[in-house]
Amino acid sequence: MADGDGAAATGKLAELPSGVEKGLPRRGKASSGRTLNTAQIPLVASHPDVYEPCDDSFALVDALLSDKAQLLTLQPRLCMEVGSGSGYVITSLAIMLRQLGSGAQYLATDINQHAAETTQATLEAHGVHADVIVTDIMSGLDKRLAGMVDVAVVNPPYVPTPVEEVGCRGIASSWAGGLNGRQVIDRILPAVREMLSERGWLYMVALEDNDPSDICHLMSEMGYASRVILKRCTEEESLYVLKFWRDPHAVTSASPKSSGSESWFSQLHFKSLWHKGS
């Protein structure tokens, strides 16, 4: 399914409309739209080793809000967040799409056990449900979810750091991105590509240091068009929220497809991975 707004760019950043937003709300400060349609900051669980909602989290959620009408039209069956942290984003997405009822399922992963538990607590505090799994990106899920995810959201570890900090334990795993902040991003992109359905969309946060144009170019080589949904600048950084969708004109290798009803989410079992109740 095409993006639907005619603002596609293949392998480069689409130009933003005038009035690009400057500045971000501090933690806990929300616009009226975000208050009504997203997770409530006072109900978001916390842990010393888990990344709290901040500028990048708010930017990603606001980008999803700006695309809410298209998301509802898409009627996704399976939505997934890679690196859920506090659970603010996946909870907000579930609230936005609540009117779809039981037609949408939600899945969240994080390499940090404390983050998985915090995500679960945030979901429960808002009365929405997702299966939360402790795993590195999508390890162990790739074959079972190939071609099944309709909406993927990612706020990756994008901060440029020494390579040896990537994958470390605790809260640092939420931001340590290695050389140019791309070490984890470059692992996530092909993994998400395998998970996305034919009509699937990917929303991802990137820092200017990550070279968003190159990220879009890499995705175009995988058969995806792209555009900038939102750009925000702070005194410290420039944040982009990128959207990707399958380009019907691209010529690539065969895309993964789901194998029918027997592979659907409700029949998957994650016995080897942590989730609520295990």
Side-chain angles (χ1 to χ4, degrees):
M1 179 174 182
D3 173 71
D5 59 9
T10 302
K12 62 181 181 179
L13 294 179
E15 290 190 7
L16 289 164
S18 60
V20 171
E21 299 180 56
K22 302 288 185 181
L24 282 169
R26 294 180 179 179
R27 184 179 187 274
K29 182 179 179 181
S31 66
S32 59
R34 193 184 302 130
T35 299
L36 295 173
N37 293 286
T38 69
Q40 304 298 293
I41 292 297
L43 297 180
V44 175
S46 63
H47 186 280
D49 287 333
V50 176
Y51 187 72
E52 295 185 340
C54 199
D55 292 350
D56 47 5
S57 316
F58 298 142
L60 179 52
V61 166
D62 284 348
L64 292 169
L65 275 173
S66 73
D67 236 19
K68 179 181 175 181
Q70 292 192 60
L71 286 164
L72 289 170
T73 301
L74 180 68
Q75 296 186 328
R77 298 179 68 192
L78 179 57
C79 303
M80 180 177 188
E81 180 177 15
V82 177
S84 59
S86 68
Y88 173 74
V89 175
I90 191 67
T91 300
S92 295
L93 181 60
I95 291 171
M96 287 180 217
L97 303 182
R98 201 194 306 249
Q99 68 192 71
L100 296 177
S102 59
Q105 303 288 330
Y106 300 89
L107 175 65
T109 71
D110 204 292
I111 195 173
N112 182 347
Q113 173 102 20
H114 296 303
E117 294 169 351
T118 302
T119 291
Q120 191 66 60
T122 297
L123 288 160
E124 291 177 355
H126 289 84
V128 293
H129 174 77
D131 285 278
V132 186
I133 299 171
V134 176
T135 189
D136 181 14
I137 304 179
M138 303 178 198
S139 179
L141 304 177
D142 47 354
K143 293 182 180 179
R144 285 175 278 186
L145 292 181
M148 296 177 63
V149 177
D150 294 321
V151 174
V153 293
V154 187
N155 183 8
Y158 57 65
V159 177
T161 63
V163 173
E164 56 269 20
E165 293 185 14
V166 175
C168 57
R169 293 183 177 275
I171 194 170
S173 65
S174 66
W175 67 67
L179 183 64
N180 298 322
R182 287 284 296 273
Q183 190 166 334
V184 180
I185 289 174
D186 288 346
R187 290 180 56 218
I188 289 174
L189 293 177
V192 170
R193 185 259 182 188
E194 293 299 315
M195 299 298 103
L196 286 176
S197 67
E198 288 288 338
R199 63 195 188 112
W201 295 346
L202 165 63
Y203 298 84
M204 190 179 76
V205 177
L207 191 66
E208 189 160 357
D209 289 346
N210 305 147
D211 194 350
S213 292
D214 183 63
I215 292 173
C216 292
H217 175 71
L218 289 176
M219 288 298 285
S220 73
E221 291 182 336
M222 299 182 200
Y224 285 84
S226 60
R227 75 179 180 96
V228 177
I229 293 288
L230 180 150
K231 179 184 178 182
R232 282 180 174 166
C233 300
T234 69
E235 293 180 358
E236 298 180 351
E237 59 189 14
S238 294
L239 293 167
Y240 296 81
V241 179
L242 309 175
K243 179 180 179 179
F244 302 92
W245 65 97
R246 197 174 299 280
D247 183 353
H249 305 296
V251 178
T252 61
S253 58
S255 303
K257 299 182 181 294
S258 60
S259 57
S261 60
E262 291 184 358
S263 297
W264 179 235
F265 185 72
S266 62
Q267 298 181 26
L268 296 175
H269 300 284
F270 305 111
K271 294 180 180 178
S272 61
L273 304 169
W274 182 94
H275 59 90
K276 183 185 177 185
S278 64

